mmCIF file of all heavy atoms in Angstrom:
data_model
loop_
_atom_site.group_PDB
_atom_site.id
_atom_site.type_symbol
_atom_site.label_atom_id
_atom_site.label_comp_id
_atom_site.label_asym_id
_atom_site.label_seq_id
_atom_site.Cartn_x
_atom_site.Cartn_y
_atom_site.Cartn_z
ATOM 1 N N MET J 126 5.164 -7.808 -9.336
ATOM 2 C CA MET J 126 4.105 -6.927 -9.856
ATOM 3 C C MET J 126 2.754 -7.410 -9.347
ATOM 4 O O MET J 126 2.477 -8.581 -9.321
ATOM 5 C CB MET J 126 4.139 -6.969 -11.383
ATOM 6 C CG MET J 126 3.356 -5.847 -12.008
ATOM 7 S SD MET J 126 4.321 -4.359 -12.146
ATOM 8 C CE MET J 126 4.859 -4.502 -13.844
ATOM 9 N N THR J 127 1.945 -6.483 -8.904
ATOM 10 C CA THR J 127 0.589 -6.825 -8.484
ATOM 11 C C THR J 127 -0.333 -5.699 -8.917
ATOM 12 O O THR J 127 0.092 -4.797 -9.646
ATOM 13 C CB THR J 127 0.531 -7.053 -6.955
ATOM 14 O OG1 THR J 127 -0.736 -7.596 -6.609
ATOM 15 C CG2 THR J 127 0.754 -5.769 -6.175
ATOM 16 N N GLU J 128 -1.575 -5.758 -8.455
ATOM 17 C CA GLU J 128 -2.517 -4.712 -8.831
ATOM 18 C C GLU J 128 -2.905 -3.885 -7.627
ATOM 19 O O GLU J 128 -3.085 -4.402 -6.532
ATOM 20 C CB GLU J 128 -3.785 -5.342 -9.420
ATOM 21 C CG GLU J 128 -3.606 -5.865 -10.818
ATOM 22 C CD GLU J 128 -4.937 -6.326 -11.394
ATOM 23 O OE1 GLU J 128 -5.933 -6.342 -10.657
ATOM 24 O OE2 GLU J 128 -4.961 -6.645 -12.594
ATOM 25 N N CYS J 129 -3.073 -2.606 -7.851
ATOM 26 C CA CYS J 129 -3.606 -1.730 -6.818
ATOM 27 C C CYS J 129 -5.029 -2.195 -6.482
ATOM 28 O O CYS J 129 -5.833 -2.373 -7.390
ATOM 29 C CB CYS J 129 -3.634 -0.297 -7.338
ATOM 30 S SG CYS J 129 -4.515 0.838 -6.234
ATOM 31 N N PRO J 130 -5.340 -2.408 -5.211
ATOM 32 C CA PRO J 130 -6.682 -2.852 -4.846
ATOM 33 C C PRO J 130 -7.749 -1.787 -5.091
ATOM 34 O O PRO J 130 -8.937 -2.082 -5.113
ATOM 35 C CB PRO J 130 -6.554 -3.183 -3.353
ATOM 36 C CG PRO J 130 -5.371 -2.422 -2.869
ATOM 37 C CD PRO J 130 -4.445 -2.304 -4.058
ATOM 38 N N GLU J 131 -7.338 -0.549 -5.275
ATOM 39 C CA GLU J 131 -8.307 0.534 -5.489
ATOM 40 C C GLU J 131 -8.597 0.779 -6.954
ATOM 41 O O GLU J 131 -9.737 0.973 -7.340
ATOM 42 C CB GLU J 131 -7.784 1.827 -4.861
ATOM 43 C CG GLU J 131 -7.742 1.802 -3.349
ATOM 44 C CD GLU J 131 -9.137 1.715 -2.734
ATOM 45 O OE1 GLU J 131 -10.064 2.341 -3.264
ATOM 46 O OE2 GLU J 131 -9.287 1.002 -1.732
ATOM 47 N N CYS J 132 -7.563 0.804 -7.771
ATOM 48 C CA CYS J 132 -7.770 1.184 -9.171
ATOM 49 C C CYS J 132 -7.291 0.134 -10.163
ATOM 50 O O CYS J 132 -7.413 0.329 -11.358
ATOM 51 C CB CYS J 132 -7.081 2.515 -9.450
ATOM 52 S SG CYS J 132 -5.285 2.415 -9.477
ATOM 53 N N ALA J 133 -6.712 -0.974 -9.659
ATOM 54 C CA ALA J 133 -6.267 -2.080 -10.501
ATOM 55 C C ALA J 133 -5.089 -1.722 -11.396
ATOM 56 O O ALA J 133 -4.761 -2.459 -12.312
ATOM 57 C CB ALA J 133 -7.415 -2.658 -11.319
ATOM 58 N N ALA J 134 -4.413 -0.624 -11.108
ATOM 59 C CA ALA J 134 -3.206 -0.304 -11.856
ATOM 60 C C ALA J 134 -2.101 -1.289 -11.476
ATOM 61 O O ALA J 134 -2.085 -1.819 -10.369
ATOM 62 C CB ALA J 134 -2.750 1.113 -11.524
ATOM 63 N N SER J 135 -1.185 -1.524 -12.379
ATOM 64 C CA SER J 135 -0.056 -2.382 -12.067
ATOM 65 C C SER J 135 0.875 -1.667 -11.105
ATOM 66 O O SER J 135 1.218 -0.502 -11.301
ATOM 67 C CB SER J 135 0.706 -2.733 -13.349
ATOM 68 O OG SER J 135 -0.118 -3.511 -14.183
ATOM 69 N N VAL J 136 1.261 -2.381 -10.033
ATOM 70 C CA VAL J 136 2.163 -1.817 -9.040
ATOM 71 C C VAL J 136 3.399 -2.702 -8.991
ATOM 72 O O VAL J 136 3.302 -3.912 -8.824
ATOM 73 C CB VAL J 136 1.480 -1.760 -7.656
ATOM 74 C CG1 VAL J 136 2.422 -1.190 -6.610
ATOM 75 C CG2 VAL J 136 0.200 -0.933 -7.727
ATOM 76 N N ASP J 137 4.539 -2.093 -9.138
ATOM 77 C CA ASP J 137 5.795 -2.834 -9.173
ATOM 78 C C ASP J 137 6.393 -2.948 -7.778
ATOM 79 O O ASP J 137 6.534 -1.964 -7.064
ATOM 80 C CB ASP J 137 6.753 -2.081 -10.096
ATOM 81 C CG ASP J 137 8.050 -2.844 -10.300
ATOM 82 O OD1 ASP J 137 8.168 -3.961 -9.763
ATOM 83 O OD2 ASP J 137 8.918 -2.322 -11.000
ATOM 84 N N GLY J 138 6.737 -4.176 -7.392
ATOM 85 C CA GLY J 138 7.322 -4.395 -6.071
ATOM 86 C C GLY J 138 8.676 -3.736 -5.923
ATOM 87 O O GLY J 138 8.997 -3.196 -4.870
ATOM 88 N N GLY J 139 9.474 -3.769 -6.965
ATOM 89 C CA GLY J 139 10.788 -3.128 -6.942
ATOM 90 C C GLY J 139 11.591 -3.535 -5.728
ATOM 91 O O GLY J 139 11.757 -4.711 -5.448
ATOM 92 N N GLU J 140 12.047 -2.559 -4.961
ATOM 93 C CA GLU J 140 12.884 -2.849 -3.795
ATOM 94 C C GLU J 140 12.102 -2.660 -2.503
ATOM 95 O O GLU J 140 12.672 -2.406 -1.457
ATOM 96 C CB GLU J 140 14.100 -1.924 -3.807
ATOM 97 C CG GLU J 140 14.971 -2.142 -5.030
ATOM 98 C CD GLU J 140 16.096 -1.124 -5.114
ATOM 99 O OE1 GLU J 140 16.207 -0.295 -4.204
ATOM 100 O OE2 GLU J 140 16.853 -1.182 -6.076
ATOM 101 N N LYS J 141 10.782 -2.738 -2.592
ATOM 102 C CA LYS J 141 9.978 -2.506 -1.394
ATOM 103 C C LYS J 141 10.124 -3.646 -0.400
ATOM 104 O O LYS J 141 10.468 -4.759 -0.755
ATOM 105 C CB LYS J 141 8.524 -2.296 -1.800
ATOM 106 C CG LYS J 141 8.390 -1.002 -2.599
ATOM 107 C CD LYS J 141 6.984 -0.633 -2.886
ATOM 108 C CE LYS J 141 6.903 0.758 -3.491
ATOM 109 N NZ LYS J 141 7.852 0.935 -4.609
ATOM 110 N N ILE J 142 9.848 -3.303 0.854
ATOM 111 C CA ILE J 142 9.955 -4.286 1.917
ATOM 112 C C ILE J 142 8.605 -4.458 2.599
ATOM 113 O O ILE J 142 7.757 -3.576 2.533
ATOM 114 C CB ILE J 142 11.008 -3.856 2.957
ATOM 115 C CG1 ILE J 142 10.643 -2.502 3.569
ATOM 116 C CG2 ILE J 142 12.402 -3.815 2.324
ATOM 117 C CD1 ILE J 142 11.551 -2.087 4.704
ATOM 118 N N VAL J 143 8.427 -5.600 3.254
ATOM 119 C CA VAL J 143 7.170 -5.871 3.958
ATOM 120 C C VAL J 143 6.930 -4.790 5.003
ATOM 121 O O VAL J 143 7.828 -4.439 5.770
ATOM 122 C CB VAL J 143 7.222 -7.260 4.620
ATOM 123 C CG1 VAL J 143 5.989 -7.474 5.506
ATOM 124 C CG2 VAL J 143 7.296 -8.353 3.554
ATOM 125 N N GLY J 144 5.720 -4.265 4.999
ATOM 126 C CA GLY J 144 5.363 -3.223 5.959
ATOM 127 C C GLY J 144 5.555 -1.821 5.421
ATOM 128 O O GLY J 144 5.112 -0.861 6.033
ATOM 129 N N GLU J 145 6.222 -1.693 4.291
ATOM 130 C CA GLU J 145 6.424 -0.375 3.704
ATOM 131 C C GLU J 145 5.093 0.178 3.186
ATOM 132 O O GLU J 145 4.271 -0.551 2.662
ATOM 133 C CB GLU J 145 7.422 -0.476 2.544
ATOM 134 C CG GLU J 145 7.739 0.880 1.938
ATOM 135 C CD GLU J 145 8.901 0.792 0.946
ATOM 136 O OE1 GLU J 145 9.616 -0.208 0.932
ATOM 137 O OE2 GLU J 145 9.059 1.748 0.174
ATOM 138 N N ILE J 146 4.911 1.466 3.373
ATOM 139 C CA ILE J 146 3.697 2.126 2.881
ATOM 140 C C ILE J 146 4.112 3.109 1.802
ATOM 141 O O ILE J 146 5.037 3.900 1.986
ATOM 142 C CB ILE J 146 2.962 2.830 4.032
ATOM 143 C CG1 ILE J 146 2.422 1.770 5.002
ATOM 144 C CG2 ILE J 146 1.822 3.702 3.497
ATOM 145 C CD1 ILE J 146 1.783 2.348 6.244
ATOM 146 N N PHE J 147 3.425 3.011 0.674
ATOM 147 C CA PHE J 147 3.769 3.868 -0.457
ATOM 148 C C PHE J 147 2.495 4.211 -1.207
ATOM 149 O O PHE J 147 1.520 3.464 -1.150
ATOM 150 C CB PHE J 147 4.768 3.150 -1.379
ATOM 151 C CG PHE J 147 4.197 1.926 -2.035
ATOM 152 C CD1 PHE J 147 3.729 1.991 -3.331
ATOM 153 C CD2 PHE J 147 4.099 0.735 -1.336
ATOM 154 C CE1 PHE J 147 3.164 0.861 -3.935
ATOM 155 C CE2 PHE J 147 3.538 -0.394 -1.932
ATOM 156 C CZ PHE J 147 3.078 -0.332 -3.232
ATOM 157 N N PRO J 148 2.472 5.329 -1.907
ATOM 158 C CA PRO J 148 1.274 5.697 -2.657
ATOM 159 C C PRO J 148 1.222 4.979 -3.999
ATOM 160 O O PRO J 148 2.241 4.816 -4.663
ATOM 161 C CB PRO J 148 1.419 7.214 -2.837
ATOM 162 C CG PRO J 148 2.890 7.444 -2.837
ATOM 163 C CD PRO J 148 3.485 6.401 -1.911
ATOM 164 N N CYS J 149 0.015 4.577 -4.380
ATOM 165 C CA CYS J 149 -0.173 4.018 -5.712
ATOM 166 C C CYS J 149 0.252 5.067 -6.737
ATOM 167 O O CYS J 149 -0.141 6.232 -6.625
ATOM 168 C CB CYS J 149 -1.644 3.653 -5.911
ATOM 169 S SG CYS J 149 -2.057 3.238 -7.609
ATOM 170 N N PRO J 150 1.042 4.678 -7.728
ATOM 171 C CA PRO J 150 1.497 5.659 -8.722
ATOM 172 C C PRO J 150 0.363 6.176 -9.598
ATOM 173 O O PRO J 150 0.507 7.212 -10.243
ATOM 174 C CB PRO J 150 2.525 4.880 -9.549
ATOM 175 C CG PRO J 150 2.195 3.436 -9.324
ATOM 176 C CD PRO J 150 1.624 3.350 -7.941
ATOM 177 N N ASP J 151 -0.747 5.473 -9.605
ATOM 178 C CA ASP J 151 -1.847 5.873 -10.476
ATOM 179 C C ASP J 151 -2.919 6.678 -9.748
ATOM 180 O O ASP J 151 -3.293 7.756 -10.186
ATOM 181 C CB ASP J 151 -2.463 4.621 -11.093
ATOM 182 C CG ASP J 151 -3.035 4.912 -12.463
ATOM 183 O OD1 ASP J 151 -2.271 5.365 -13.322
ATOM 184 O OD2 ASP J 151 -4.241 4.710 -12.655
ATOM 185 N N CYS J 152 -3.403 6.161 -8.608
ATOM 186 C CA CYS J 152 -4.517 6.834 -7.927
ATOM 187 C C CYS J 152 -4.085 7.516 -6.636
ATOM 188 O O CYS J 152 -4.840 8.288 -6.058
ATOM 189 C CB CYS J 152 -5.652 5.850 -7.651
ATOM 190 S SG CYS J 152 -5.280 4.609 -6.404
ATOM 191 N N GLY J 153 -2.874 7.225 -6.168
ATOM 192 C CA GLY J 153 -2.382 7.910 -4.975
ATOM 193 C C GLY J 153 -2.817 7.290 -3.661
ATOM 194 O O GLY J 153 -2.414 7.757 -2.597
ATOM 195 N N THR J 154 -3.624 6.243 -3.712
ATOM 196 C CA THR J 154 -4.018 5.566 -2.480
ATOM 197 C C THR J 154 -2.781 5.006 -1.783
ATOM 198 O O THR J 154 -1.915 4.436 -2.431
ATOM 199 C CB THR J 154 -4.976 4.395 -2.815
ATOM 200 O OG1 THR J 154 -6.162 4.932 -3.377
ATOM 201 C CG2 THR J 154 -5.322 3.595 -1.560
ATOM 202 N N GLU J 155 -2.709 5.179 -0.478
ATOM 203 C CA GLU J 155 -1.564 4.621 0.240
ATOM 204 C C GLU J 155 -1.732 3.114 0.383
ATOM 205 O O GLU J 155 -2.759 2.626 0.834
ATOM 206 C CB GLU J 155 -1.439 5.284 1.604
ATOM 207 C CG GLU J 155 -1.062 6.745 1.458
ATOM 208 C CD GLU J 155 -0.424 7.282 2.727
ATOM 209 O OE1 GLU J 155 -0.923 6.969 3.813
ATOM 210 O OE2 GLU J 155 0.577 7.994 2.606
ATOM 211 N N LEU J 156 -0.702 2.401 -0.011
ATOM 212 C CA LEU J 156 -0.720 0.948 0.012
ATOM 213 C C LEU J 156 0.360 0.434 0.947
ATOM 214 O O LEU J 156 1.448 0.989 1.022
ATOM 215 C CB LEU J 156 -0.461 0.404 -1.397
ATOM 216 C CG LEU J 156 -1.399 0.915 -2.485
ATOM 217 C CD1 LEU J 156 -0.935 0.406 -3.844
ATOM 218 C CD2 LEU J 156 -2.824 0.484 -2.212
ATOM 219 N N GLU J 157 0.030 -0.659 1.654
ATOM 220 C CA GLU J 157 1.011 -1.280 2.530
ATOM 221 C C GLU J 157 1.438 -2.603 1.924
ATOM 222 O O GLU J 157 0.603 -3.383 1.467
ATOM 223 C CB GLU J 157 0.393 -1.511 3.914
ATOM 224 C CG GLU J 157 1.363 -2.184 4.863
ATOM 225 C CD GLU J 157 0.807 -2.304 6.277
ATOM 226 O OE1 GLU J 157 -0.301 -1.824 6.541
ATOM 227 O OE2 GLU J 157 1.514 -2.883 7.104
ATOM 228 N N VAL J 158 2.741 -2.867 1.946
ATOM 229 C CA VAL J 158 3.267 -4.114 1.405
ATOM 230 C C VAL J 158 3.005 -5.237 2.403
ATOM 231 O O VAL J 158 3.469 -5.196 3.539
ATOM 232 C CB VAL J 158 4.781 -4.000 1.137
ATOM 233 C CG1 VAL J 158 5.312 -5.320 0.579
ATOM 234 C CG2 VAL J 158 5.074 -2.852 0.179
ATOM 235 N N LEU J 159 2.238 -6.240 1.964
ATOM 236 C CA LEU J 159 1.950 -7.399 2.812
ATOM 237 C C LEU J 159 3.017 -8.455 2.661
ATOM 238 O O LEU J 159 3.449 -9.068 3.626
ATOM 239 C CB LEU J 159 0.601 -8.012 2.426
ATOM 240 C CG LEU J 159 -0.649 -7.206 2.717
ATOM 241 C CD1 LEU J 159 -1.869 -8.030 2.310
ATOM 242 C CD2 LEU J 159 -0.749 -6.845 4.182
ATOM 243 N N LYS J 160 3.408 -8.713 1.421
ATOM 244 C CA LYS J 160 4.393 -9.742 1.107
ATOM 245 C C LYS J 160 5.205 -9.268 -0.087
ATOM 246 O O LYS J 160 4.740 -8.467 -0.882
ATOM 247 C CB LYS J 160 3.688 -11.058 0.714
ATOM 248 C CG LYS J 160 2.876 -11.668 1.819
ATOM 249 C CD LYS J 160 2.274 -12.989 1.362
ATOM 250 C CE LYS J 160 1.213 -12.780 0.289
ATOM 251 N NZ LYS J 160 0.532 -14.027 -0.076
ATOM 252 N N THR J 161 6.392 -9.811 -0.195
ATOM 253 C CA THR J 161 7.211 -9.442 -1.351
ATOM 254 C C THR J 161 7.349 -10.606 -2.325
ATOM 255 O O THR J 161 7.752 -10.415 -3.459
ATOM 256 C CB THR J 161 8.600 -8.986 -0.903
ATOM 257 O OG1 THR J 161 9.188 -9.982 -0.079
ATOM 258 C CG2 THR J 161 8.517 -7.682 -0.123
ATOM 259 N N ALA J 162 7.070 -11.835 -1.888
ATOM 260 C CA ALA J 162 7.191 -12.984 -2.776
ATOM 261 C C ALA J 162 6.064 -13.961 -2.505
ATOM 262 O O ALA J 162 6.189 -14.778 -1.606
ATOM 263 C CB ALA J 162 8.551 -13.664 -2.568
ATOM 264 N N PRO J 163 4.976 -13.918 -3.250
ATOM 265 C CA PRO J 163 4.726 -12.930 -4.304
ATOM 266 C C PRO J 163 4.363 -11.568 -3.716
ATOM 267 O O PRO J 163 3.890 -11.491 -2.595
ATOM 268 C CB PRO J 163 3.537 -13.521 -5.059
ATOM 269 C CG PRO J 163 2.785 -14.286 -4.005
ATOM 270 C CD PRO J 163 3.852 -14.844 -3.079
ATOM 271 N N PHE J 164 4.599 -10.551 -4.485
ATOM 272 C CA PHE J 164 4.308 -9.200 -4.058
ATOM 273 C C PHE J 164 2.810 -9.015 -3.875
ATOM 274 O O PHE J 164 2.017 -9.388 -4.734
ATOM 275 C CB PHE J 164 4.830 -8.224 -5.120
ATOM 276 C CG PHE J 164 4.726 -6.777 -4.709
ATOM 277 C CD1 PHE J 164 5.264 -6.340 -3.514
ATOM 278 C CD2 PHE J 164 4.120 -5.851 -5.544
ATOM 279 C CE1 PHE J 164 5.182 -4.995 -3.148
ATOM 280 C CE2 PHE J 164 4.042 -4.512 -5.188
ATOM 281 C CZ PHE J 164 4.575 -4.090 -3.987
ATOM 282 N N ALA J 165 2.415 -8.492 -2.717
ATOM 283 C CA ALA J 165 0.990 -8.262 -2.446
ATOM 284 C C ALA J 165 0.849 -7.025 -1.581
ATOM 285 O O ALA J 165 1.670 -6.771 -0.707
ATOM 286 C CB ALA J 165 0.391 -9.471 -1.740
ATOM 287 N N VAL J 166 -0.201 -6.261 -1.848
ATOM 288 C CA VAL J 166 -0.434 -5.031 -1.095
ATOM 289 C C VAL J 166 -1.884 -4.955 -0.644
ATOM 290 O O VAL J 166 -2.752 -5.642 -1.169
ATOM 291 C CB VAL J 166 -0.111 -3.784 -1.943
ATOM 292 C CG1 VAL J 166 1.337 -3.770 -2.370
ATOM 293 C CG2 VAL J 166 -1.047 -3.670 -3.148
ATOM 294 N N GLU J 167 -2.135 -4.101 0.333
ATOM 295 C CA GLU J 167 -3.509 -3.772 0.709
ATOM 296 C C GLU J 167 -3.532 -2.290 1.025
ATOM 297 O O GLU J 167 -2.486 -1.690 1.302
ATOM 298 C CB GLU J 167 -3.959 -4.589 1.914
ATOM 299 C CG GLU J 167 -3.285 -4.207 3.206
ATOM 300 C CD GLU J 167 -3.913 -4.946 4.389
ATOM 301 O OE1 GLU J 167 -4.731 -5.866 4.187
ATOM 302 O OE2 GLU J 167 -3.585 -4.583 5.524
ATOM 303 N N PRO J 168 -4.720 -1.666 1.000
ATOM 304 C CA PRO J 168 -4.778 -0.242 1.342
ATOM 305 C C PRO J 168 -4.237 -0.047 2.752
ATOM 306 O O PRO J 168 -4.578 -0.796 3.664
ATOM 307 C CB PRO J 168 -6.280 0.080 1.249
ATOM 308 C CG PRO J 168 -6.844 -0.970 0.341
ATOM 309 C CD PRO J 168 -6.023 -2.209 0.609
ATOM 310 N N ALA J 169 -3.395 0.941 2.924
ATOM 311 C CA ALA J 169 -2.791 1.184 4.232
ATOM 312 C C ALA J 169 -3.833 1.702 5.210
ATOM 313 O O ALA J 169 -4.663 2.532 4.857
ATOM 314 C CB ALA J 169 -1.660 2.186 4.098
ATOM 315 N N PRO J 170 -3.788 1.226 6.451
ATOM 316 C CA PRO J 170 -4.687 1.771 7.461
ATOM 317 C C PRO J 170 -4.329 3.222 7.737
ATOM 318 O O PRO J 170 -3.173 3.614 7.630
ATOM 319 C CB PRO J 170 -4.438 0.880 8.682
ATOM 320 C CG PRO J 170 -3.063 0.324 8.487
ATOM 321 C CD PRO J 170 -2.879 0.231 6.999
ATOM 322 N N ARG J 171 -5.312 4.016 8.093
ATOM 323 C CA ARG J 171 -5.046 5.447 8.270
ATOM 324 C C ARG J 171 -5.253 5.886 9.705
ATOM 325 O O ARG J 171 -5.208 7.049 10.007
ATOM 326 C CB ARG J 171 -5.982 6.251 7.369
ATOM 327 C CG ARG J 171 -5.943 5.777 5.933
ATOM 328 C CD ARG J 171 -6.451 6.843 5.014
ATOM 329 N NE ARG J 171 -5.350 7.354 4.229
ATOM 330 C CZ ARG J 171 -5.295 8.589 3.744
ATOM 331 N NH1 ARG J 171 -6.255 9.418 3.979
ATOM 332 N NH2 ARG J 171 -4.275 8.980 3.041
ATOM 333 N N GLU J 172 -5.493 4.956 10.621
ATOM 334 C CA GLU J 172 -5.861 5.365 11.974
ATOM 335 C C GLU J 172 -4.743 6.059 12.726
ATOM 336 O O GLU J 172 -4.999 6.724 13.730
ATOM 337 C CB GLU J 172 -6.360 4.158 12.792
ATOM 338 C CG GLU J 172 -5.245 3.242 13.220
ATOM 339 C CD GLU J 172 -5.106 2.053 12.300
ATOM 340 O OE1 GLU J 172 -5.375 2.187 11.081
ATOM 341 O OE2 GLU J 172 -4.739 0.982 12.778
ATOM 342 N N ALA J 173 -3.517 5.926 12.258
ATOM 343 C CA ALA J 173 -2.396 6.485 13.015
ATOM 344 C C ALA J 173 -2.408 8.019 13.071
ATOM 345 O O ALA J 173 -1.851 8.600 13.971
ATOM 346 C CB ALA J 173 -1.092 6.010 12.408
ATOM 347 N N GLU J 174 -3.047 8.633 12.098
ATOM 348 C CA GLU J 174 -2.902 10.080 11.988
ATOM 349 C C GLU J 174 -3.922 10.906 12.773
ATOM 350 O O GLU J 174 -3.588 11.913 13.332
ATOM 351 C CB GLU J 174 -2.954 10.489 10.522
ATOM 352 C CG GLU J 174 -1.672 10.082 9.820
ATOM 353 C CD GLU J 174 -1.586 10.671 8.446
ATOM 354 O OE1 GLU J 174 -2.379 11.574 8.142
ATOM 355 O OE2 GLU J 174 -0.727 10.245 7.677
ATOM 356 N N ASP J 175 -5.151 10.487 12.776
ATOM 357 C CA ASP J 175 -6.178 11.345 13.337
ATOM 358 C C ASP J 175 -7.196 10.548 14.123
ATOM 359 O O ASP J 175 -8.144 10.017 13.586
ATOM 360 C CB ASP J 175 -6.859 12.110 12.190
ATOM 361 C CG ASP J 175 -7.893 13.081 12.722
ATOM 362 O OD1 ASP J 175 -7.597 13.749 13.724
ATOM 363 O OD2 ASP J 175 -8.982 13.162 12.167
ATOM 364 N N TRP J 176 -6.983 10.468 15.408
ATOM 365 C CA TRP J 176 -7.906 9.709 16.243
ATOM 366 C C TRP J 176 -9.145 10.536 16.574
ATOM 367 O O TRP J 176 -10.195 9.998 16.863
ATOM 368 C CB TRP J 176 -7.209 9.287 17.542
ATOM 369 C CG TRP J 176 -6.257 8.181 17.324
ATOM 370 C CD1 TRP J 176 -4.928 8.278 17.106
ATOM 371 C CD2 TRP J 176 -6.562 6.781 17.271
ATOM 372 N NE1 TRP J 176 -4.382 7.024 16.931
ATOM 373 C CE2 TRP J 176 -5.360 6.099 17.030
ATOM 374 C CE3 TRP J 176 -7.742 6.048 17.404
ATOM 375 C CZ2 TRP J 176 -5.295 4.711 16.922
ATOM 376 C CZ3 TRP J 176 -7.667 4.659 17.297
ATOM 377 C CH2 TRP J 176 -6.461 4.012 17.053
ATOM 378 N N GLY J 177 -9.019 11.833 16.587
ATOM 379 C CA GLY J 177 -10.160 12.658 16.934
ATOM 380 C C GLY J 177 -10.541 12.459 18.392
ATOM 381 O O GLY J 177 -9.823 11.848 19.166
ATOM 382 N N GLU J 178 -11.735 12.981 18.743
ATOM 383 C CA GLU J 178 -12.170 12.786 20.125
ATOM 384 C C GLU J 178 -13.650 12.741 20.264
ATOM 385 O O GLU J 178 -14.344 13.366 19.489
ATOM 386 C CB GLU J 178 -11.638 13.891 21.010
ATOM 387 C CG GLU J 178 -10.489 13.299 21.778
ATOM 388 C CD GLU J 178 -9.978 14.170 22.896
ATOM 389 O OE1 GLU J 178 -10.752 14.557 23.770
ATOM 390 O OE2 GLU J 178 -8.779 14.409 22.883
HETATM 391 ZN ZN1 ZN I 242 -4.277 2.799 -7.481
#
């Protein structure tokens, strides 16, 4: 269990794996799993979707 870096809601590691991206259950921010023991997350980078020009 850790906290969402955006809203501080409790986030359960459950069966997540390192590198997995999932939305915060409370605020919906996409979070990336950094570590599973101890469980730690950071806001997921978004550059993959829209590079623009
Ligand atoms: Zn959140």
Side-chain angles (χ1 to χ4, degrees):
M126 195 85 97
T127 190
E128 285 187 353
C129 171
E131 291 294 322
C132 71
S135 295
V136 179
D137 185 2
E140 298 174 2
K141 294 187 171 49
I142 59 174
V143 173
E145 183 171 345
I146 293 175
F147 65 99
C149 169
D151 210 58
C152 69
T154 296
E155 293 202 317
L156 305 174
E157 179 175 357
V158 180
L159 292 182
K160 296 183 292 185
T161 54
F164 187 53
V166 299
E167 70 173 9
R171 308 200 110 208
E172 74 262 33
E174 287 190 13
D175 183 43
W176 285 95
E178 257 190 56

